[in-house]
Amino acid sequence: MKAVTWQGKRDVRVEDVPDPRIQEPTDAVIRITSTGLCGSDLHLYEVLTPFMTPGDILGHEPMGVVEEVGAGVPDLAAGDRVVVPFQIACGNCWMCLTGLPTQCETTQVTGEGMGAALFGYTRLYGAVPGAQAEYLRVPQAQYGPIKVPDGPPDDRFVYLSDVLPTAWQAVSYAGVPEGGSVAVLGLGPIGDMACRVAQVRGAERVFGVDLVSERLRRAKARGVETYDLRSFDSEKELVAAIRDRTDGRGPDAVIDAVGTEAHGSAAARLAQQASALLPRKIAGPLAERLSIDRLAALHTAIELVRRGGTLSLVGVYGGTADLVPLLTMFDKQIQIRMGQANVRRWSDEILPYLTDEDPLGVDDFATHRLPLTDAPHAYEMFQRKQDGAVKVLMQP
């Protein structure tokens, strides 16, 4: 089959690889009909290269049709249309039953000290072959796949794999009160969708911050009060502008949808780039002990949120030696929640919004739809924020 493989920093290729097959009774094999390109994939493309191996199959946002199931998968059959969550979880362990499938005790990558295995996301998360491919082996298929109805196009449901539950959890963790306010830093796919989720869940004021014109226009068209980072000389000016709209306090919550590759933080950016160029045998152990993030967005979030407010961190961070302003955080009495989205915890709450009325705007959420064979171009375009690329879907 054809699959998108990682070969090095900014080097992805579509190659022929062996077809997946049933290996365990709880496996299924899915024929992919749509698969997303995620901002998290760009971290592999640019920053997290020390944890990658040439030939790794990328991707974690798939949906498709079941081709085959193992004997331990009673509720799926060939021909079922499904969305596959990006994490692999059993549904039966204590963590899963507590609503934390990203910490699944059956699939935890204990050798790396990490949580549940993820599709297509480094050796830290199990080096599981990913979903930017024609077919996908789905472990723990007795729990993971979400059955969806035939009829509507893939765009209606594909975001259940990652974008929707990640944005939904970000807003849930933010704890925005009914009629309250929230600022979203970063209006890529997750930040954009988080604004939409916050609106349908009762936030009265939603502020969006970015520096990409297309992203700002998209959010503004849906009623978000947008702020172009390029229009301010400093973080303090941006913070003051939003505080002026919230009685001088700042928003009740701030969602950081940027993560490790924030603009600014020049020294951290240089360190990230240098580590990505080191030989893998050196870079991997070094990154596990001394990696750092670009924390410009996080620092802005800490400064912006009102006293006693909540930060929800949804952008991926991977640093192990980051310096954060604990004095400010303690003094402002800030609450912080973060983590990978627990997809199956939220999917049943989200499904009622995926109707013909389309309150979340999923039907036209994608800006680009490309064949899988164009994946190298898609990665480059998305990474460079070219051609108005906000969300890319690929079809094998």
Side-chain angles (χ1 to χ4, degrees), residues 6 9-10 39 42-51 121 258-279 282-284 286-288 290-297 315-323 383:
W6 184 92
K9 182 176 179 178
R10 299 181 190 167
L42 295 185
H43 299 324
L44 312 182
Y45 190 68
E46 184 77 20
V47 174
L48 299 180
T49 58
F51 304 111
Y121 215 78
V258 179
T260 183
E261 292 187 85
H263 288 264
S265 308
R269 181 174 185 269
L270 181 62
Q272 288 179 343
Q273 291 177 333
S275 68
L277 296 174
L278 292 171
I282 299 173
L286 185 66
E288 289 176 16
L290 297 173
S291 59
I292 60 175
D293 295 299
R294 295 184 236 169
L295 297 176
V316 172
Y317 283 100
T320 56
D322 292 330
L323 297 175
Q383 196 268 339

Side-chain angles (χ1 to χ4, degrees), residues 192-203:
D192 186 341
M193 186 57 74
C195 290
R196 302 179 188 204
V197 170
Q199 289 172 323
V200 302
R201 295 184 63 176

Side-chain angles (χ1 to χ4, degrees), residues 330-348:
F330 183 86
D331 178 65
K332 292 186 71 174
Q333 204 168 335
I334 294 169
Q335 303 176 76
I336 302 178
R337 295 199 71 180
M338 67 187 83
Q340 303 278 8
N342 299 287
V343 175
R344 290 306 305 266
R345 176 177 178 178
W346 309 112
S347 57
D348 288 346

Side-chain angles (χ1 to χ4, degrees), residues 192-378:
D192 186 341
M193 186 57 74
C195 290
R196 302 179 188 204
V197 170
Q199 289 172 323
V200 302
R201 295 184 63 176
E204 182 175 324
R205 312 202 68 170
V206 179
F207 308 98
V209 180
D210 207 293
L211 43 64
V212 180
S213 298
E214 175 61 25
R215 297 179 177 187
L216 290 161
R217 282 196 297 269
R218 276 168 58 102
K220 187 174 183 179
R222 295 189 66 91
V224 176
E225 299 181 44
T226 55
Y227 293 79
D228 187 339
L229 198 57
R230 298 167 297 183
S231 301
F232 298 92
D233 292 331
S234 68
E235 170 204 273
K236 290 187 180 298
E237 286 189 9
L238 169 67
V239 169
I242 298 177
R243 279 183 178 165
D244 285 346
R245 305 289 287 169
T246 55
D247 298 322
R249 297 187 190 95
D252 297 307
V254 176
I255 295 172
D256 174 0
V258 179
T260 183
E261 292 187 85
H263 288 264
S265 308
R269 181 174 185 269
L270 181 62
Q272 288 179 343
Q273 291 177 333
S275 68
L277 296 174
L278 292 171
R280 287 175 54 249
K281 288 185 178 179
I282 299 173
L286 185 66
E288 289 176 16
R289 298 192 306 273
L290 297 173
S291 59
I292 60 175
D293 295 299
R294 295 184 236 169
L295 297 176
L298 177 60
H299 284 279
T300 298
I302 292 168
E303 183 68 20
L304 177 58
V305 71
R306 69 163 171 81
R307 291 179 178 272
T310 301
L311 299 185
S312 176
L313 309 187
V314 65
V316 172
Y317 283 100
T320 56
D322 292 330
L323 297 175
V324 294
L326 283 174
L327 173 61
T328 301
M329 294 158 66
F330 183 86
D331 178 65
K332 292 186 71 174
Q333 204 168 335
I334 294 169
Q335 303 176 76
I336 302 178
R337 295 199 71 180
M338 67 187 83
Q340 303 278 8
N342 299 287
V343 175
R344 290 306 305 266
R345 176 177 178 178
W346 309 112
S347 57
D348 288 346
E349 292 184 23
I350 298 168
L351 275 166
Y353 291 87
L354 305 182
T355 63
D356 289 341
E357 288 74 25
D358 193 19
L360 294 171
V362 294
D363 285 348
D364 59 0
F365 190 70
T367 55
H368 293 72
R369 295 170 181 82
L370 301 171
L372 190 70
T373 51
D374 284 355
H377 167 64

